[in-house]
Amino acid sequence: MTPEVSPARLMGRVEALGRIGALDGGGVCRLALTDADKAGRDWLVSEMRDLGMSVFVDAIGNIWGIRPGQRAGAPVMVGSHIDSVATGGIYDGALGVLGGLEVVTALNVAGIETETPVAVAAFTNEEGARFAPDMMGSGVHQGALVLEEMLTVQATDGSGVVGEELDRIGYRGNDAPITPAAYLELHIEQGPVLEAEGVRIGAVTGVQGIHWTEFVVEGQTNHAGTTPMALRRDAGQVAMRIGLEADQIAADAGPPQVATVGVFEISPGLVNVVPERARLTVDLRNTDGAALVAATERLIGRAEAFAAEAGCVLTHRPLARFAPVEFDARLVDRVEAAARTRQLSVKRMPSGAGHDAQMFAPNCPTAMIFVPSQNGLSHNIKEHSEEADIVAGTQVLLDLVCDLAGASS
Ligand SMILES: [Zn+2]
């Protein structure tokens, strides 16, 4: 008997978890390690136990349940996160975890014993909305972040410390982290591409690299009427040229290079005063690591030239430097094949956002399955994905787990 996803069961769980931390008007607030996050965790653990899974919690509060296989050893892991941003949707992260519960339920119902164990995981503080950095739990679990450092991280709003909050909600465990035989993550796209192209499934090839750079320009305030252009040291002009250069870099490179000036401040900020100081940030992203490095080098080189021409002093510092992550090409092929077998249109695509999966990619075969997001919206209470797409993505996940874990009834 081929195990099949039950839409009613799957959507029932989506709704049940969506009620925990629910906001008036839709969406959820389950910021990491808050009472709402604890309630979500308690619900998840009880679902895992009801499915007959053994439940584990590590020292950073990651939760995983294991359904045993015929053989002991590394499980095929399905995972994501159940924390949210303050005004989050009910699908972001939750889908990967609830899809995992549905996989296990379908295997149970079909009476299938897989050869290797199957694990379902929820990682602590993927969002980074209350504690920075994001992907904290999966990063610690896979050795990219240092546990002791993460336990001392203060909330950005001063509302607590990771280690103390883990103790408070009762999720500082002592189970040893595991490296799975393979890692699969089902997630909403959080972007507009699948919907716009009418494609049902995204076979995610990797996560694009991210370079954030902050620029500060120091010039001199002066009278906007009496100071000739050639005699100014206008920090605002330099900042505008840097911002336009970022835009030009993206235009010259073309997709997938993107550039965003998210912070732009000039002071004193008066209509008739030449600005003496400017601060701006540039977010550059690309799936090609070398192209991303080149883009950042061009931006910094040009920024220095603009400042020198204007007689201003430029300082700059990196706020983030993440190299692109490539998922396992053969596993991505299998995602694509699994979708086609179910007669679902599928597209290979990079992820624009970061995900727990990228922490696993260096250590085990890893892939992701995207389903369309209505209007590309996420981190928004209006976030929505169609039931048919959620079911389709979960069925692909289930078929892949059967394939990888060795299912026979
Ligand atoms: Zn997410």
Side-chain angles (χ1 to χ4, degrees):
M1 170 177 174
T2 309
E4 296 286 331
V5 167
S6 154
R9 201 167 54 201
L10 174 60
M11 297 314 290
R13 285 200 180 107
V14 170
E15 282 156 23
L17 183 56
R19 280 193 290 273
I20 300 174
L23 296 167
D24 295 338
V28 289
C29 178
R30 280 196 309 271
L31 289 164
L33 311 185
T34 56
D35 292 348
D37 186 23
K38 173 187 161 49
R41 288 161 173 269
D42 291 348
W43 176 86
L44 175 63
V45 167
S46 99
E47 291 289 304
M48 286 175 169
R49 294 227 163 95
D50 287 350
L51 291 170
M53 305 177 88
S54 321
V55 177
F56 301 84
V57 180
D58 68 12
I60 196 75
N62 299 316
I63 299 168
W64 66 101
I66 294 192
R67 181 182 193 268
Q70 291 162 12
R71 294 189 265 108
V76 171
M77 182 178 272
V78 174
S80 197
H81 60 97
I82 62 166
D83 71 315
S84 79
V85 297
T87 53
I90 66 170
Y91 307 100
D92 178 2
L95 214 54
V97 179
L98 303 179
L101 292 182
E102 177 58 24
V103 165
V104 170
T105 313
L107 290 172
N108 286 358
V109 168
I112 288 171
E113 193 180 16
T114 53
E115 285 166 34
T116 47
V118 174
V120 177
F123 299 103
T124 296
N125 185 37
E126 189 275 346
E127 293 290 2
R130 185 177 176 214
F131 301 99
D134 53 2
M135 293 169 281
M136 182 182 279
S138 50
V140 169
H141 199 78
Q142 288 301 294
L145 296 171
V146 178
L147 170 67
E148 291 72 22
E149 287 173 19
M150 294 304 114
L151 289 174
T152 62
V153 168
Q154 286 266 1
T156 44
D157 63 357
S159 63
V161 175
V162 168
E164 292 165 15
E165 288 291 89
L166 281 167
D167 287 332
R168 187 183 70 80
I169 67 167
Y171 279 90
R172 195 205 286 240
N174 53 19
D175 291 309
I178 58 171
T179 296
Y183 178 85
L184 292 169
E185 185 165 347
L186 169 69
H187 207 284
I188 55 168
E189 182 199 345
Q190 302 180 282
V193 175
L194 291 175
E195 184 186 55
E197 298 186 8
V199 176
R200 305 287 304 281
I201 299 287
V204 185
T205 51
V207 179
Q208 63 183 348
I210 301 177
H211 283 192
W212 288 350
T213 307
E214 180 193 66
F215 295 93
V216 174
V217 190
E218 311 271 0
Q220 187 177 51
T221 43
N222 230 318
H223 195 291
T226 59
T227 318
M229 296 305 278
L231 297 181
R232 297 179 180 205
R233 293 170 53 210
D234 186 337
Q237 278 291 348
V238 173
M240 285 189 282
R241 293 182 77 187
I242 296 171
L244 288 173
E245 182 69 15
D247 205 49
Q248 193 59 49
I249 285 170
D252 290 349
Q257 178 69 56
V258 287
T260 306
V261 177
V263 172
F264 194 96
E265 302 164 352
I266 50 176
S267 55
L270 299 167
V271 66
N272 58 354
V273 177
V274 175
E276 67 173 345
R277 187 174 191 277
R279 183 174 83 94
L280 71 159
T281 59
V282 179
D283 172 324
L284 294 173
R285 304 191 193 204
N286 199 316
T287 49
D288 180 330
L292 182 58
V293 168
T296 298
E297 282 173 356
R298 170 174 158 186
L299 181 69
I300 290 172
R302 297 292 290 154
E304 281 166 346
F306 297 148
E309 283 166 26
C312 292
V313 176
L314 179 82
T315 52
H316 56 85
R317 64 183 178 119
L319 299 179
R321 291 284 186 273
F322 290 116
V325 173
E326 272 187 48
F327 291 151
D328 186 86
R330 280 182 302 180
L331 196 51
V332 178
D333 287 344
R334 285 165 89 162
V335 172
E336 221 181 343
R340 290 198 198 289
T341 302
R342 290 276 172 181
Q343 261 94 50
L344 296 163
S345 51
V346 56
K347 175 192 173 76
R348 293 174 86 97
M349 63 189 296
S351 171
H355 294 290
D356 291 310
Q358 72 196 69
M359 296 300 178
F360 285 83
N363 301 331
C364 67
T366 297
M368 291 187 74
I369 302 161
F370 274 174
V371 294
S373 292
Q374 194 174 74
N375 300 318
L377 278 183
S378 187
H379 288 187
N380 185 313
I381 61 169
K382 296 213 163 60
E383 175 188 286
H384 182 75
S385 291
E386 290 296 331
E387 174 177 328
D389 292 329
I390 292 170
V391 170
T394 307
Q395 188 65 54
V396 170
L397 180 70
L398 172 57
D399 293 347
L400 277 168
V401 170
C402 288
D403 183 13
L404 294 169
S408 53
S409 37

